[in-house]
C-alpha cells in the first residue's frame, strides 16, 4: 500500500533531554510539504558532533530532538514543486545545503549557504523545517529536527536544497560517511589547508574525521604525515592510511608541539586539528613553521570556549583557517566523492569499525566515547 501523502509511523532515536541516552520510539513522520522530500534512511554514521549536540555543556540544544547528520537513503516521496528527485532515488542528506542562489553559493570563496539554519551559531541547527514547523511527532509532542537532516529516524523529511542524488550502485552503508566525517577531514586537507606535494603535515585526533584528513594529506602528496592521538590503538589504521609518524603526547615530557617542531626542522607546513580541544588547537598552530605554516581547525569546541592566539605568531607568517564540511560545496561535490569512492580513489571501508542494527545506537555512542571505533554505521 502506498505511503505517499500519508503519515508514516516508524522508529527513531529520540534525545528527550541533554545528557540522556537515546530512546527508540515510534514516531509519526508527516508527508513532505512544498520543496521537501521524505527519505527512507538506510544507514547512518554516528559522529562526535551528535554527541556534542546532546552534551549538557552545549547550551543551545533544543529538545526533544532527532539527531543524525551522516546518513544515506532512498527517496520515498516528494512534495509539491520538487523536480530533481523521484521515489527510489539513492540520496545523501546534506547538513550544509547548497541553494545555488545566495551570496555564499554564488561565490567560489566559501561552501557555506545561507539556507543553513542559524548560520551564525554553526552547529546549533537543531531546529525545524524552513516553514518553521516540524515533520516529526512522538507521543503527541513535536520533535525538533537537527541540522536539516535528522538521520536517526527510519524516515526523515529534508528540504530540496539539503539533499543530493548519488550513484544508484553506491553501497549506502559505506557512502553515508560522505555525508559528514569523511568529507570533512578529507576536504580539510585538500580544500582548506590545500596541502601541497612534498609538504609536511600534522593531524591531531584520529577519529573518523582525523583519519580522513590523513587520507587527504596523503592523496595531496605530503611527504611526511605526523598523526597524533592520546589513544595508541588508533595508530595502526593511521599508518595504513598514510601516516608516517604516529605520536602519543603522553609519551613525551615536552609539549607535543615542541616535539614535532624539533623532529621536523622548525615545524610542519600544515597542521589540522580534528578533536575540538582548544589547547590542542593552540598546539597545532604552534607546531607549524614560521613563514607559511597553516593551521586548520576542524574540531568543534563546545561550551563557548575561545582560543587565544599570540599576534606574533601571525606576524611571523603563520595562518589559522577552519572548515565546515571540509569546504565542499555540497550538491556539486558529494556525488563526485561517491563516484571517487566507487572508483576506489580512497578507502572509506577502513573507517567503518562496526556496522550495527539501528536499535544499538547507544552502544554506537559508547564505542565512540570509549575510543573503540573510528565510525559505527547503524543500519535500519
Ligand atoms: P572522534 O571522537 O571519533 O575522534 C577524536 C579523536 O581525538 C579520538 O581518537 C581521541 O582519542 C582523540 N583525542 C581526544 N583528545 C585528544 C588530545 N588531547 N590529544 C590528541 N588526541 C586526542 O571524533 P570525530 O572524528 O567524529 O570528530 C572530530 C571533531 O571534528 C569533533 O569535534 C567533531 O565535532 C568535529 C567535526 N567538525 C565538522 C566540521 O564541519 N567542522 C564536521 C564533523 C565533525
Ligand atoms: Zn559530523
Ligand atoms: Zn545558498
Amino acid at each position: 500500500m502506498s505511503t505517499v501523502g500519508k503519515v508514516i509511523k516508524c522508529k527513531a532515536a529520540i534525545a528527550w533531554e541533554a545528557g540522556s541516552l537515546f530512546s527508540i520510539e515510534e514516531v509519526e513522520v508527516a508527508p513532505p510539504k512544498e520543496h521537501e522530500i521524505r527519505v527512507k534512511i538506510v544507514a547512518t554514521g554516528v559522529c562526535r558532533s551528535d554527541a556534542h549536540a546532546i552534551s549538557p555543556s552545549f547550551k543551545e540544544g533544543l529538545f526533544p530532538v532527532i539527531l543524525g547528520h551522516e546518513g544515506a537513503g532512498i527517496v520515498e516521496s516528494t512534495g509539491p514543486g520538487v523536480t530533481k528527485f523521484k521515489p527510489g532515488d539513492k540520496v545523501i542528506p546534506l547538513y550544509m545545503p547548497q541553494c545555488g542562489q545566495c551570496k555564499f553559493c554564488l561565490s567560489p570563496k566559501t561552501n557555506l549557504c545561507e539556507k543553513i539554519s542559524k548560520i551564525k551559531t554553526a552547529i546549533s541547527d537543531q531546529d525545524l523545517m524552513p516553514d518553521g514547523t516540524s515533520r516529526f511527532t512522538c507521543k503527541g509532542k513535536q520533535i525538533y529536527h537537527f541540522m536539516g537532516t535528522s538521520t536517526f529516524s527510519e524516515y526523515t523529511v529534508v528540504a530540496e536544497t539539503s539533499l543530493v542524488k548519488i550513484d544508484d550502485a553506491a553501497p549506502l552503508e559505506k557512502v553515508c560517511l560522505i555525508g559528514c566525517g569523511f568529507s570533512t577531514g578529507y576536504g580539510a586537507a585538500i580544500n582548506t589547508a590545500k596541502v601541497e606535494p612534498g609538504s609536511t603535515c600534522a593531524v591531531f585526533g584520529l577519529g573518523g574525521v582525523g583519519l580522513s584528513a590523513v587520507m587527504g594529506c596523503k592523496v595531496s602528496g605530503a611527504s611526511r604525515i605526523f598523526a597524533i592521538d592520546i589513544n595508541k590503538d588508533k595508530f595502526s589504521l593511521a599508518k595504513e592510511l598514510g601516516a608516517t609518524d604516529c605520536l602519543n603526547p603522553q609519551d613525551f615530557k615536552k609539549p607535543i608541539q615542541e616535539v614535532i617542531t624539533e623532529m621536523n626542522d622548525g615545524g610542519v607546513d600544515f597542521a589540522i586539528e580534528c578533536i575540538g580541544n582548544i589547547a590542542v588547537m593552540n598546539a597545532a598552530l604552534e607546531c607549524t613553521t614560521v613563514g607559511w605554516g597553516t593551521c586548520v581547525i576542524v574540531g568543534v569546541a563546545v561550551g563557548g570556549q575561545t582560543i587565544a592566539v599570540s599576534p606574533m605568531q601571525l606576524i611571523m607568517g603563520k595562518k589559522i583557517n577552519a572548515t565546515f564540511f571540509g569546504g565542499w560545496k555540497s550538491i556539486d561535490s558529494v556525488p563526485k566523492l561517491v563516484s571517487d569512492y566507487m572508483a576506489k580513489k580512497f578507502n572509506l571501508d577502513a573507517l567503518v569499525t562496526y556496522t550495527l542494527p539501528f536499535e544499538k545506537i547507544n552502544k554506537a555512542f559508547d564505542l565512540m566515547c570509549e575510543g573503540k571505533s573510528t565510525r559505527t554505521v547503524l543500519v535500519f
Side-chain angles (χ1 to χ4, degrees):
M1 210 178 65
S2 169
T3 48
V4 176
K6 296 180 185 148
V7 169
I8 292 180
K9 288 188 177 183
C10 66
K11 62 190 163 196
I14 296 190
W16 289 102
E17 57 188 18
S20 71
L21 293 176
F22 293 95
S23 63
I24 305 285
E25 309 274 5
E26 184 180 81
V27 294
E28 293 95 39
V29 185
K33 293 192 182 174
E34 208 169 2
H35 296 295
E36 296 177 359
I37 296 107
R38 190 160 57 185
V39 177
K40 183 179 191 343
I41 297 293
V42 173
T44 178
V46 168
C47 171
R48 178 63 69 166
S49 302
D50 295 306
H52 290 334
I54 48 167
S55 146
S57 51
F58 180 64
K59 302 278 181 257
E60 296 167 64
L62 297 171
F63 296 91
V65 61
I66 297 177
L67 300 178
H69 61 281
E70 195 177 74
I74 295 170
V75 171
E76 175 268 339
S77 63
T78 58
V82 172
T83 53
K84 288 191 202 136
F85 301 93
K86 58 178 190 315
D89 283 349
K90 279 192 176 175
V91 286
I92 290 185
L94 307 167
Y95 63 82
M96 177 59 71
Q98 188 185 348
C99 76
Q101 286 163 3
C102 71
K103 81 167 190 186
F104 304 116
C105 282
L106 292 173
S107 167
K109 294 180 185 167
T110 180
N111 67 327
L112 292 183
C113 167
E114 71 178 22
K115 295 267 182 206
I116 191 168
S117 29
K118 298 186 191 165
I119 196 164
K120 292 196 184 82
T121 51
I123 73 157
S124 65
D125 322 318
Q126 293 157 287
D127 49 36
L128 300 162
M129 294 302 289
D131 72 348
T133 62
S134 171
R135 302 291 160 271
F136 298 118
T137 47
C138 178
K139 298 177 178 165
K141 284 207 171 88
Q142 171 196 275
I143 310 296
Y144 283 104
H145 291 247
F146 178 66
M147 295 181 96
T149 53
S150 291
T151 59
F152 293 164
S153 177
E154 202 175 356
Y155 286 85
T156 189
V157 179
V158 301
E160 162 175 66
T161 47
S162 298
L163 193 70
V164 73
K165 183 172 156 35
I166 56 163
D167 189 331
D168 280 337
L172 299 179
E173 73 287 358
K174 298 288 188 311
V175 299
C176 58
L177 300 191
I178 293 175
C180 182
F182 171 75
S183 306
T184 298
Y186 196 65
I190 293 177
N191 300 326
T192 314
K194 297 189 169 54
V195 170
E196 292 158 356
S199 63
T200 53
C201 301
V203 176
F204 292 81
L206 305 174
V209 176
L211 288 172
S212 302
V214 168
M215 285 195 252
C217 294
K218 166 96 176 158
V219 83
S220 303
S223 60
R224 195 168 188 190
I225 304 170
F226 292 90
I228 301 104
D229 203 296
I230 49 174
N231 179 352
K232 64 176 173 20
D233 296 345
K234 305 275 178 166
F235 293 162
S236 61
L237 186 52
K239 284 209 166 123
E240 202 181 299
L241 296 174
T244 54
D245 304 73
C246 290
L247 305 176
N248 181 346
Q250 295 165 341
D251 289 344
F252 301 90
K253 288 207 179 78
K254 287 183 188 170
I256 193 67
Q257 56 270 41
E258 286 179 29
V259 174
I260 295 170
T261 304
E262 281 171 18
M263 284 176 79
N264 200 65
D265 186 28
V268 292
D269 300 309
F270 302 97
I272 307 178
E273 201 275 1
C274 304
I275 303 164
N277 178 317
I278 54 165
V280 182
M281 292 174 190
N282 277 112
L285 178 66
E286 282 167 26
C287 82
T288 63
T289 180
V290 298
W292 57 77
T294 299
C295 165
V296 171
I297 292 172
V298 185
V300 174
V302 290
Q305 300 173 82
T306 53
I307 43 172
V309 175
S310 145
M312 200 38 123
Q313 300 229 40
L314 306 177
I315 288 168
M316 294 303 284
K318 299 189 181 191
K319 292 179 218 56
I320 306 189
N321 208 339
T323 191
F324 204 163
F325 193 53
W328 302 103
K329 282 196 184 277
S330 59
I331 290 182
D332 295 345
S333 309
V334 165
K336 288 185 196 146
L337 287 167
V338 170
S339 304
D340 284 353
Y341 164 71
M342 305 286 283
K344 298 196 173 9
K345 292 194 182 160
F346 49 77
N347 186 355
L348 217 46
D349 301 21
L351 301 179
V352 182
T353 322
Y354 299 101
T355 304
L356 296 177
F358 179 67
E359 289 75 7
K360 300 268 185 204
I361 184 165
N362 288 311
K363 173 84 183 160
F365 274 78
D366 288 347
L367 288 165
M368 174 172 68
C369 295
E370 290 161 7
K372 292 186 180 147
S373 60
T374 302
R375 273 296 192 261
T376 298
V377 171
L378 300 168
V379 289
F380 285 92

